[in-house]
Every structure is written in structure tokens, then in C-alpha cells.
Amino acid sequence: MVPTVSQNKQTNTLPSALYVVAMPIGQWSDLSSRAIDVLDRVDVILAEDTRVSGQILKFAKVSTRMVSLNAHSESGKAGRVIESLESGQSLALISDAGTPGISDPGRLLVDKVVEEGFQVIPIPGPSALTAALSVSGFPATPSHFFGFLSTKTNARDQELERALSYDGTLIFFEAPHRIVDLAGRLDEKALGRKVIFARELTKTHEQLIRVVAGSCADWFSENADRIRGEFVVLVGPTGVGHKQSSVDVDRILRILTRELPPTKAAALVSEITGIPRRTLYRQLTD
Ligand code: SAM
């Protein structure tokens, strides 16, 4: 339960508001000093999973009381959050990783708090969405974020087809146990478009896999370990902005390395496509 105003921290509290605080997406040191300061000074932290957040808060030496607020309890707990704001408290909303409300709980609560006339203050920071887009080389405008596609086959197909009809960069989140399925659907429906699998961003096994649709599923089938971890999937726009060749680079690289050492294969493909040799070499050796 959210504590009452009488339980407010005695010193150094923040103005009453709901602070929406971005958390790291893997690398704990990405937690900003402003985020730590706010988390330390609010009266209560509303956390998606108190055990997950407990570890990082311990790392940040924050001992503020946590209350769980997840997708199931979000609308039910909104009333109590409003009561706390009415009594002058400050609250921080955090999710397990990244920015609340971005395919995470938060939107309903924020909507309710705004509707009731209280302040909502962003404490920006990491998100898998912006991290992946920032290193994609794909245009950010226009770009369309779809989050997770439906898990139901027909709806998934329809959503993907609708997404592919938009002009611009497309961004999806996907769970590891569905990544091969999405790769296969992209091979079928987005043939020839550039695709990036941004895997385990900011973590030890971070990888940016740049392939062309038609060879997405092949990349995963080569090594069972590749489906491990978290993924953002980006699809480049059709035509416009494609400075590099749209040939199936990954497939050509793999064929050449049957006969040639990786450095030589990377050099040849670089000459043909204009893609930097180092990028290709990294793709081969990752
Ligand atoms: N709110 C979070 C954010 O702003 O990044 C996203 C939460 S959503 C429930 C989790 C999904 O985000 C994962 O399934 C994956 O698609 C993506 N994701 C989160 N962390 C990631 C990471 N380190 N690398 C790649 N994708 C990640």
C-alpha cells in the first residue's frame, strides 16, 4: 500500500508529482545520476517487480520504499496513487528495464494522474527503442513503433502486413521464443528489405545483426545460441535512403567463407556492396 503523508520522508523530499523514471536496459551504470537522485528522494517507488528493481536500487544505494504496480494491478492501484498525490506525496514509477509506458505498464496510470490534474514528470534515460534506432542507420523520420506483434497467428500476420505497408523505418520488440517466427515472416513478407536484429543491447553479448529479409531465419538457424536474449527488430524503409546494396549480404558472406578466410570474404563483399569491410568482418565473426 502507498504510505500516507505522515510517513513522508522528513527531509529533502521532492514536489508532489508522479516521476516516470527510465531504468537501465542491461547495463546498470546507465542509470542516470538524476534518476538516482529522484528515486532516493521520492516518498514511494512504484515498481513493476520489486525483486527485479530491488537489486538495481541496492546497487544505486537507494532505500526508498517500493510498492508493486504491474500490468495487472495498474488500473486498480491508480486510485491509491491519486490519494497519495492529494496528500502531497511524490512517487516514482519504474519498470523492470527501460522507460515505463514503452511496452511496459505506466500509460493507464499516467493518463489517470493527468486526468486528475496532478503533475507527471519524465526522468528520461535508456529505452531499447531509442537505443536500437540510434545505431540502426535507418531514418528516424518517419519511423513507426509497433511494440510486440500479437502472439496469435492470423492477427500476427495481419499486423505485420499492415506494418510493412507504412512508409519508413519499422520497429518491433520480440521475445526470444518468437524471434525465429518473426524472422521467417519477415523473410516471406519483406523480401529484400534491410533488417536489423538488435540483440542484448548494452549487455555482454550485445550484437547488431544486419541482414536482408530472405536470410533472416537462416541467420538464426546457424547457431541455436543466437535466439538467446532480448531483441529489437528494425526493418528499413523500402527504396529511399538505401545507399548500400540490397543484395543478400549475409548469404554471400556465408557462401564465400566456405572457400575463403573471413578477412578475404569480407574484403570482397565490401568491394561489391560498399559496406565497410570491418562491419562485414564483425558480422562474420560475431
Ligand atoms: N520499456 C522497455 C524499454 O523502454 O526499453 C521495454 C520493455 S518490453 C516489456 C521488453 C522488450 O524490450 C524486450 O522483449 C525486447 O524486445 C526489448 N528490450 C529490452 N531490453 C533490451 C535489450 N537490452 N536489448 C534488446 N532489446 C531489449
Side-chain angles (χ1 to χ4, degrees), residues 25-26 95 97-104 126-129 148 172-176 198-203 230-232:
I25 57 169
S95 56
T99 303
I102 310 296
S103 294
D104 261 342
S127 175
L129 165 62
F148 294 95
F172 305 92
F173 283 168
E174 194 49 283
R199 178 183 178 216
E200 293 284 86
L201 293 169
T202 78
K203 302 185 196 175
E230 299 196 273
F231 292 89
V232 180

PDB file of all heavy atoms in Angstrom, residues 25-26 95 97-104 126-129 148 172-176 198-203 230-232, ligand 1:
ATOM      1  N   ILE A  25      18.670  -0.806 -19.427  1.00  0.00           N
ATOM      2  CA  ILE A  25      18.158  -1.956 -20.186  1.00  0.00           C
ATOM      3  C   ILE A  25      19.160  -3.115 -20.140  1.00  0.00           C
ATOM      4  O   ILE A  25      19.094  -4.039 -20.934  1.00  0.00           O
ATOM      5  CB  ILE A  25      17.805  -1.590 -21.651  1.00  0.00           C
ATOM      6  CG1 ILE A  25      19.029  -0.996 -22.382  1.00  0.00           C
ATOM      7  CG2 ILE A  25      16.617  -0.644 -21.710  1.00  0.00           C
ATOM      8  CD1 ILE A  25      18.809  -0.864 -23.902  1.00  0.00           C
ATOM      9  N   GLY A  26      20.089  -3.055 -19.233  1.00  0.00           N
ATOM     10  CA  GLY A  26      21.065  -4.139 -19.102  1.00  0.00           C
ATOM     11  C   GLY A  26      22.275  -3.694 -18.306  1.00  0.00           C
ATOM     12  O   GLY A  26      22.722  -4.375 -17.391  1.00  0.00           O
ATOM     13  N   SER A  95       9.888   0.600 -14.337  1.00  0.00           N
ATOM     14  CA  SER A  95       9.593  -0.751 -14.811  1.00  0.00           C
ATOM     15  C   SER A  95      10.863  -1.589 -14.689  1.00  0.00           C
ATOM     16  O   SER A  95      11.911  -1.089 -14.289  1.00  0.00           O
ATOM     17  CB  SER A  95       9.048  -0.715 -16.239  1.00  0.00           C
ATOM     18  OG  SER A  95       9.945  -0.048 -17.087  1.00  0.00           O
ATOM     19  N   ALA A  97      12.898  -2.725 -16.825  1.00  0.00           N
ATOM     20  CA  ALA A  97      14.018  -2.237 -17.647  1.00  0.00           C
ATOM     21  C   ALA A  97      13.512  -1.167 -18.594  1.00  0.00           C
ATOM     22  O   ALA A  97      12.388  -1.252 -19.088  1.00  0.00           O
ATOM     23  CB  ALA A  97      14.613  -3.390 -18.465  1.00  0.00           C
ATOM     24  N   GLY A  98      14.324  -0.173 -18.823  1.00  0.00           N
ATOM     25  CA  GLY A  98      13.983   0.858 -19.795  1.00  0.00           C
ATOM     26  C   GLY A  98      12.952   1.846 -19.273  1.00  0.00           C
ATOM     27  O   GLY A  98      12.840   2.083 -18.060  1.00  0.00           O
ATOM     28  N   THR A  99      12.197   2.405 -20.191  1.00  0.00           N
ATOM     29  CA  THR A  99      11.297   3.501 -19.865  1.00  0.00           C
ATOM     30  C   THR A  99       9.871   2.989 -19.639  1.00  0.00           C
ATOM     31  O   THR A  99       9.341   2.296 -20.505  1.00  0.00           O
ATOM     32  CB  THR A  99      11.331   4.539 -21.012  1.00  0.00           C
ATOM     33  OG1 THR A  99      12.689   4.964 -21.191  1.00  0.00           O
ATOM     34  CG2 THR A  99      10.470   5.744 -20.700  1.00  0.00           C
ATOM     35  N   PRO A 100       9.269   3.325 -18.502  1.00  0.00           N
ATOM     36  CA  PRO A 100       7.881   2.904 -18.257  1.00  0.00           C
ATOM     37  C   PRO A 100       6.964   3.400 -19.376  1.00  0.00           C
ATOM     38  O   PRO A 100       7.204   4.467 -19.957  1.00  0.00           O
ATOM     39  CB  PRO A 100       7.533   3.582 -16.925  1.00  0.00           C
ATOM     40  CG  PRO A 100       8.841   3.808 -16.249  1.00  0.00           C
ATOM     41  CD  PRO A 100       9.817   4.090 -17.366  1.00  0.00           C
ATOM     42  N   GLY A 101       5.937   2.610 -19.665  1.00  0.00           N
ATOM     43  CA  GLY A 101       4.959   3.023 -20.689  1.00  0.00           C
ATOM     44  C   GLY A 101       5.360   2.616 -22.089  1.00  0.00           C
ATOM     45  O   GLY A 101       4.533   2.655 -23.011  1.00  0.00           O
ATOM     46  N   ILE A 102       6.624   2.250 -22.290  1.00  0.00           N
ATOM     47  CA  ILE A 102       7.067   1.809 -23.616  1.00  0.00           C
ATOM     48  C   ILE A 102       6.995   0.286 -23.604  1.00  0.00           C
ATOM     49  O   ILE A 102       7.928  -0.390 -23.133  1.00  0.00           O
ATOM     50  CB  ILE A 102       8.518   2.295 -23.943  1.00  0.00           C
ATOM     51  CG1 ILE A 102       8.686   3.784 -23.674  1.00  0.00           C
ATOM     52  CG2 ILE A 102       8.918   1.925 -25.368  1.00  0.00           C
ATOM     53  CD1 ILE A 102       7.847   4.701 -24.540  1.00  0.00           C
ATOM     54  N   SER A 103       5.861  -0.245 -24.051  1.00  0.00           N
ATOM     55  CA  SER A 103       5.568  -1.694 -23.950  1.00  0.00           C
ATOM     56  C   SER A 103       5.754  -2.182 -22.514  1.00  0.00           C
ATOM     57  O   SER A 103       6.204  -3.301 -22.277  1.00  0.00           O
ATOM     58  CB  SER A 103       6.449  -2.523 -24.901  1.00  0.00           C
ATOM     59  OG  SER A 103       6.143  -2.231 -26.226  1.00  0.00           O
ATOM     60  N   ASP A 104       5.464  -1.349 -21.577  1.00  0.00           N
ATOM     61  CA  ASP A 104       5.544  -1.644 -20.148  1.00  0.00           C
ATOM     62  C   ASP A 104       4.396  -0.920 -19.463  1.00  0.00           C
ATOM     63  O   ASP A 104       3.857   0.047 -20.030  1.00  0.00           O
ATOM     64  CB  ASP A 104       6.875  -1.088 -19.577  1.00  0.00           C
ATOM     65  CG  ASP A 104       7.926  -2.170 -19.460  1.00  0.00           C
ATOM     66  OD1 ASP A 104       7.562  -3.358 -19.471  1.00  0.00           O
ATOM     67  OD2 ASP A 104       9.110  -1.824 -19.353  1.00  0.00           O
ATOM     68  N   PRO A 126      17.460   5.356 -20.581  1.00  0.00           N
ATOM     69  CA  PRO A 126      17.515   4.264 -21.547  1.00  0.00           C
ATOM     70  C   PRO A 126      16.147   3.753 -21.990  1.00  0.00           C
ATOM     71  O   PRO A 126      15.190   3.738 -21.220  1.00  0.00           O
ATOM     72  CB  PRO A 126      18.233   3.145 -20.784  1.00  0.00           C
ATOM     73  CG  PRO A 126      18.953   3.821 -19.671  1.00  0.00           C
ATOM     74  CD  PRO A 126      18.141   5.022 -19.318  1.00  0.00           C
ATOM     75  N   SER A 127      16.098   3.364 -23.245  1.00  0.00           N
ATOM     76  CA  SER A 127      14.990   2.575 -23.785  1.00  0.00           C
ATOM     77  C   SER A 127      15.560   1.752 -24.922  1.00  0.00           C
ATOM     78  O   SER A 127      16.352   2.264 -25.722  1.00  0.00           O
ATOM     79  CB  SER A 127      13.871   3.477 -24.302  1.00  0.00           C
ATOM     80  OG  SER A 127      12.884   2.659 -24.909  1.00  0.00           O
ATOM     81  N   ALA A 128      15.156   0.491 -24.998  1.00  0.00           N
ATOM     82  CA  ALA A 128      15.631  -0.370 -26.095  1.00  0.00           C
ATOM     83  C   ALA A 128      15.212   0.226 -27.432  1.00  0.00           C
ATOM     84  O   ALA A 128      15.927   0.096 -28.435  1.00  0.00           O
ATOM     85  CB  ALA A 128      15.066  -1.774 -25.920  1.00  0.00           C
ATOM     86  N   LEU A 129      14.068   0.913 -27.442  1.00  0.00           N
ATOM     87  CA  LEU A 129      13.544   1.503 -28.680  1.00  0.00           C
ATOM     88  C   LEU A 129      14.519   2.539 -29.252  1.00  0.00           C
ATOM     89  O   LEU A 129      14.963   2.427 -30.401  1.00  0.00           O
ATOM     90  CB  LEU A 129      12.183   2.140 -28.359  1.00  0.00           C
ATOM     91  CG  LEU A 129      11.576   3.106 -29.357  1.00  0.00           C
ATOM     92  CD1 LEU A 129      11.297   2.409 -30.683  1.00  0.00           C
ATOM     93  CD2 LEU A 129      10.288   3.708 -28.802  1.00  0.00           C
ATOM     94  N   PHE A 148       5.243  -5.256 -29.394  1.00  0.00           N
ATOM     95  CA  PHE A 148       5.132  -6.691 -29.669  1.00  0.00           C
ATOM     96  C   PHE A 148       3.967  -6.944 -30.621  1.00  0.00           C
ATOM     97  O   PHE A 148       2.864  -6.437 -30.398  1.00  0.00           O
ATOM     98  CB  PHE A 148       4.862  -7.461 -28.377  1.00  0.00           C
ATOM     99  CG  PHE A 148       6.006  -7.422 -27.399  1.00  0.00           C
ATOM    100  CD1 PHE A 148       6.030  -6.477 -26.375  1.00  0.00           C
ATOM    101  CD2 PHE A 148       7.060  -8.311 -27.499  1.00  0.00           C
ATOM    102  CE1 PHE A 148       7.075  -6.425 -25.464  1.00  0.00           C
ATOM    103  CE2 PHE A 148       8.121  -8.273 -26.594  1.00  0.00           C
ATOM    104  CZ  PHE A 148       8.124  -7.329 -25.577  1.00  0.00           C
ATOM    105  N   PHE A 172      10.070  -3.174 -33.950  1.00  0.00           N
ATOM    106  CA  PHE A 172       9.297  -4.171 -33.195  1.00  0.00           C
ATOM    107  C   PHE A 172      10.102  -4.621 -31.986  1.00  0.00           C
ATOM    108  O   PHE A 172      11.330  -4.665 -32.026  1.00  0.00           O
ATOM    109  CB  PHE A 172       9.035  -5.421 -34.047  1.00  0.00           C
ATOM    110  CG  PHE A 172       8.362  -5.144 -35.369  1.00  0.00           C
ATOM    111  CD1 PHE A 172       9.114  -4.929 -36.518  1.00  0.00           C
ATOM    112  CD2 PHE A 172       6.975  -5.118 -35.471  1.00  0.00           C
ATOM    113  CE1 PHE A 172       8.503  -4.669 -37.741  1.00  0.00           C
ATOM    114  CE2 PHE A 172       6.357  -4.862 -36.684  1.00  0.00           C
ATOM    115  CZ  PHE A 172       7.120  -4.631 -37.823  1.00  0.00           C
ATOM    116  N   PHE A 173       9.413  -5.008 -30.919  1.00  0.00           N
ATOM    117  CA  PHE A 173      10.027  -5.762 -29.827  1.00  0.00           C
ATOM    118  C   PHE A 173       9.651  -7.218 -30.067  1.00  0.00           C
ATOM    119  O   PHE A 173       8.568  -7.502 -30.598  1.00  0.00           O
ATOM    120  CB  PHE A 173       9.447  -5.332 -28.468  1.00  0.00           C
ATOM    121  CG  PHE A 173       9.982  -4.011 -27.946  1.00  0.00           C
ATOM    122  CD1 PHE A 173       9.367  -3.390 -26.863  1.00  0.00           C
ATOM    123  CD2 PHE A 173      11.099  -3.402 -28.497  1.00  0.00           C
ATOM    124  CE1 PHE A 173       9.850  -2.190 -26.345  1.00  0.00           C
ATOM    125  CE2 PHE A 173      11.591  -2.207 -27.993  1.00  0.00           C
ATOM    126  CZ  PHE A 173      10.963  -1.598 -26.918  1.00  0.00           C
ATOM    127  N   GLU A 174      10.536  -8.137 -29.666  1.00  0.00           N
ATOM    128  CA  GLU A 174      10.149  -9.542 -29.774  1.00  0.00           C
ATOM    129  C   GLU A 174      10.803 -10.377 -28.683  1.00  0.00           C
ATOM    130  O   GLU A 174      11.928 -10.092 -28.261  1.00  0.00           O
ATOM    131  CB  GLU A 174      10.494 -10.096 -31.170  1.00  0.00           C
ATOM    132  CG  GLU A 174       9.836 -11.416 -31.491  1.00  0.00           C
ATOM    133  CD  GLU A 174       8.323 -11.440 -31.204  1.00  0.00           C
ATOM    134  OE1 GLU A 174       7.929 -11.560 -30.028  1.00  0.00           O
ATOM    135  OE2 GLU A 174       7.538 -11.365 -32.150  1.00  0.00           O
ATOM    136  N   ALA A 175      10.051 -11.362 -28.223  1.00  0.00           N
ATOM    137  CA  ALA A 175      10.563 -12.270 -27.190  1.00  0.00           C
ATOM    138  C   ALA A 175      11.430 -13.329 -27.860  1.00  0.00           C
ATOM    139  O   ALA A 175      11.181 -13.698 -29.009  1.00  0.00           O
ATOM    140  CB  ALA A 175       9.380 -12.928 -26.477  1.00  0.00           C
ATOM    141  N   PRO A 176      12.438 -13.861 -27.133  1.00  0.00           N
ATOM    142  CA  PRO A 176      13.349 -14.835 -27.750  1.00  0.00           C
ATOM    143  C   PRO A 176      12.625 -16.058 -28.321  1.00  0.00           C
ATOM    144  O   PRO A 176      13.011 -16.568 -29.374  1.00  0.00           O
ATOM    145  CB  PRO A 176      14.294 -15.238 -26.613  1.00  0.00           C
ATOM    146  CG  PRO A 176      13.847 -14.511 -25.407  1.00  0.00           C
ATOM    147  CD  PRO A 176      12.833 -13.493 -25.779  1.00  0.00           C
ATOM    148  N   ALA A 198      18.668  -6.174 -33.192  1.00  0.00           N
ATOM    149  CA  ALA A 198      19.493  -5.544 -32.152  1.00  0.00           C
ATOM    150  C   ALA A 198      19.331  -6.394 -30.901  1.00  0.00           C
ATOM    151  O   ALA A 198      18.291  -6.376 -30.246  1.00  0.00           O
ATOM    152  CB  ALA A 198      19.031  -4.116 -31.902  1.00  0.00           C
ATOM    153  N   ARG A 199      20.363  -7.159 -30.608  1.00  0.00           N
ATOM    154  CA  ARG A 199      20.265  -8.179 -29.555  1.00  0.00           C
ATOM    155  C   ARG A 199      21.055  -7.774 -28.311  1.00  0.00           C
ATOM    156  O   ARG A 199      22.185  -7.292 -28.420  1.00  0.00           O
ATOM    157  CB  ARG A 199      20.836  -9.475 -30.144  1.00  0.00           C
ATOM    158  CG  ARG A 199      20.876 -10.628 -29.210  1.00  0.00           C
ATOM    159  CD  ARG A 199      21.538 -11.821 -29.886  1.00  0.00           C
ATOM    160  NE  ARG A 199      21.634 -12.924 -28.984  1.00  0.00           N
ATOM    161  CZ  ARG A 199      22.656 -13.767 -28.956  1.00  0.00           C
ATOM    162  NH1 ARG A 199      23.636 -13.652 -29.806  1.00  0.00           N
ATOM    163  NH2 ARG A 199      22.674 -14.737 -28.089  1.00  0.00           N
ATOM    164  N   GLU A 200      20.443  -7.971 -27.156  1.00  0.00           N
ATOM    165  CA  GLU A 200      21.135  -7.791 -25.873  1.00  0.00           C
ATOM    166  C   GLU A 200      21.849  -6.436 -25.751  1.00  0.00           C
ATOM    167  O   GLU A 200      23.012  -6.373 -25.325  1.00  0.00           O
ATOM    168  CB  GLU A 200      22.142  -8.937 -25.667  1.00  0.00           C
ATOM    169  CG  GLU A 200      21.491 -10.303 -25.489  1.00  0.00           C
ATOM    170  CD  GLU A 200      20.886 -10.469 -24.108  1.00  0.00           C
ATOM    171  OE1 GLU A 200      19.722 -10.042 -23.937  1.00  0.00           O
ATOM    172  OE2 GLU A 200      21.555 -10.991 -23.222  1.00  0.00           O
ATOM    173  N   LEU A 201      21.164  -5.389 -26.144  1.00  0.00           N
ATOM    174  CA  LEU A 201      21.777  -4.056 -26.121  1.00  0.00           C
ATOM    175  C   LEU A 201      22.301  -3.713 -24.732  1.00  0.00           C
ATOM    176  O   LEU A 201      21.619  -3.961 -23.730  1.00  0.00           O
ATOM    177  CB  LEU A 201      20.752  -3.007 -26.559  1.00  0.00           C
ATOM    178  CG  LEU A 201      20.319  -3.110 -28.027  1.00  0.00           C
ATOM    179  CD1 LEU A 201      19.111  -2.222 -28.304  1.00  0.00           C
ATOM    180  CD2 LEU A 201      21.455  -2.773 -28.970  1.00  0.00           C
ATOM    181  N   THR A 202      23.473  -3.169 -24.712  1.00  0.00           N
ATOM    182  CA  THR A 202      24.208  -2.734 -23.501  1.00  0.00           C
ATOM    183  C   THR A 202      24.707  -3.901 -22.645  1.00  0.00           C
ATOM    184  O   THR A 202      25.303  -3.679 -21.593  1.00  0.00           O
ATOM    185  CB  THR A 202      23.414  -1.754 -22.594  1.00  0.00           C
ATOM    186  OG1 THR A 202      22.456  -2.492 -21.820  1.00  0.00           O
ATOM    187  CG2 THR A 202      22.736  -0.645 -23.357  1.00  0.00           C
ATOM    188  N   LYS A 203      24.438  -5.140 -23.069  1.00  0.00           N
ATOM    189  CA  LYS A 203      24.870  -6.290 -22.252  1.00  0.00           C
ATOM    190  C   LYS A 203      26.123  -6.930 -22.859  1.00  0.00           C
ATOM    191  O   LYS A 203      26.548  -6.564 -23.959  1.00  0.00           O
ATOM    192  CB  LYS A 203      23.741  -7.322 -22.174  1.00  0.00           C
ATOM    193  CG  LYS A 203      22.456  -6.752 -21.600  1.00  0.00           C
ATOM    194  CD  LYS A 203      21.427  -7.830 -21.442  1.00  0.00           C
ATOM    195  CE  LYS A 203      20.047  -7.256 -21.250  1.00  0.00           C
ATOM    196  NZ  LYS A 203      19.017  -8.277 -21.221  1.00  0.00           N
ATOM    197  N   GLU A 230      17.420 -10.675 -25.545  1.00  0.00           N
ATOM    198  CA  GLU A 230      16.318  -9.772 -25.883  1.00  0.00           C
ATOM    199  C   GLU A 230      16.605  -9.107 -27.227  1.00  0.00           C
ATOM    200  O   GLU A 230      17.761  -8.791 -27.525  1.00  0.00           O
ATOM    201  CB  GLU A 230      16.185  -8.706 -24.812  1.00  0.00           C
ATOM    202  CG  GLU A 230      15.885  -9.296 -23.450  1.00  0.00           C
ATOM    203  CD  GLU A 230      15.378  -8.251 -22.498  1.00  0.00           C
ATOM    204  OE1 GLU A 230      16.213  -7.606 -21.849  1.00  0.00           O
ATOM    205  OE2 GLU A 230      14.152  -8.068 -22.424  1.00  0.00           O
ATOM    206  N   PHE A 231      15.541  -8.871 -27.988  1.00  0.00           N
ATOM    207  CA  PHE A 231      15.716  -8.337 -29.330  1.00  0.00           C
ATOM    208  C   PHE A 231      14.811  -7.146 -29.628  1.00  0.00           C
ATOM    209  O   PHE A 231      13.625  -7.165 -29.303  1.00  0.00           O
ATOM    210  CB  PHE A 231      15.334  -9.397 -30.379  1.00  0.00           C
ATOM    211  CG  PHE A 231      16.265 -10.569 -30.438  1.00  0.00           C
ATOM    212  CD1 PHE A 231      16.049 -11.675 -29.631  1.00  0.00           C
ATOM    213  CD2 PHE A 231      17.342 -10.579 -31.304  1.00  0.00           C
ATOM    214  CE1 PHE A 231      16.897 -12.774 -29.678  1.00  0.00           C
ATOM    215  CE2 PHE A 231      18.197 -11.667 -31.366  1.00  0.00           C
ATOM    216  CZ  PHE A 231      17.971 -12.765 -30.549  1.00  0.00           C
ATOM    217  N   VAL A 232      15.396  -6.164 -30.312  1.00  0.00           N
ATOM    218  CA  VAL A 232      14.585  -5.167 -31.016  1.00  0.00           C
ATOM    219  C   VAL A 232      14.815  -5.481 -32.491  1.00  0.00           C
ATOM    220  O   VAL A 232      15.940  -5.749 -32.907  1.00  0.00           O
ATOM    221  CB  VAL A 232      15.062  -3.723 -30.722  1.00  0.00           C
ATOM    222  CG1 VAL A 232      14.184  -2.720 -31.475  1.00  0.00           C
ATOM    223  CG2 VAL A 232      15.027  -3.441 -29.233  1.00  0.00           C
TER     224      VAL A 232
HETATM  225  N1  SAM B   1      10.199  -0.320 -21.520  1.00  0.00           N
HETATM  226  C1  SAM B   1      11.298  -1.042 -22.090  1.00  0.00           C
HETATM  227  C2  SAM B   1      12.199  -0.051 -22.842  1.00  0.00           C
HETATM  228  O1  SAM B   1      11.922   1.150 -22.809  1.00  0.00           O
HETATM  229  O2  SAM B   1      13.216  -0.484 -23.402  1.00  0.00           O
HETATM  230  C3  SAM B   1      10.829  -2.182 -22.969  1.00  0.00           C
HETATM  231  C4  SAM B   1      10.082  -3.210 -22.190  1.00  0.00           C
HETATM  232  S1  SAM B   1       9.437  -4.527 -23.129  1.00  0.00           S
HETATM  233  C5  SAM B   1       8.465  -5.362 -21.936  1.00  0.00           C
HETATM  234  C6  SAM B   1      10.781  -5.631 -23.242  1.00  0.00           C
HETATM  235  C7  SAM B   1      11.267  -5.760 -24.676  1.00  0.00           C
HETATM  236  O3  SAM B   1      12.128  -4.665 -24.976  1.00  0.00           O
HETATM  237  C8  SAM B   1      12.108  -6.999 -24.924  1.00  0.00           C
HETATM  238  O4  SAM B   1      11.292  -8.125 -25.232  1.00  0.00           O
HETATM  239  C9  SAM B   1      12.927  -6.578 -26.111  1.00  0.00           C
HETATM  240  O5  SAM B   1      12.175  -6.643 -27.298  1.00  0.00           O
HETATM  241  C10 SAM B   1      13.194  -5.104 -25.768  1.00  0.00           C
HETATM  242  N2  SAM B   1      14.428  -4.979 -24.982  1.00  0.00           N
HETATM  243  C11 SAM B   1      14.540  -4.641 -23.686  1.00  0.00           C
HETATM  244  N3  SAM B   1      15.831  -4.611 -23.313  1.00  0.00           N
HETATM  245  C12 SAM B   1      16.556  -4.942 -24.393  1.00  0.00           C
HETATM  246  C13 SAM B   1      17.949  -5.081 -24.658  1.00  0.00           C
HETATM  247  N4  SAM B   1      18.855  -4.897 -23.698  1.00  0.00           N
HETATM  248  N5  SAM B   1      18.337  -5.420 -25.905  1.00  0.00           N
HETATM  249  C14 SAM B   1      17.439  -5.613 -26.881  1.00  0.00           C
HETATM  250  N6  SAM B   1      16.107  -5.498 -26.688  1.00  0.00           N
HETATM  251  C15 SAM B   1      15.670  -5.172 -25.466  1.00  0.00           C
END
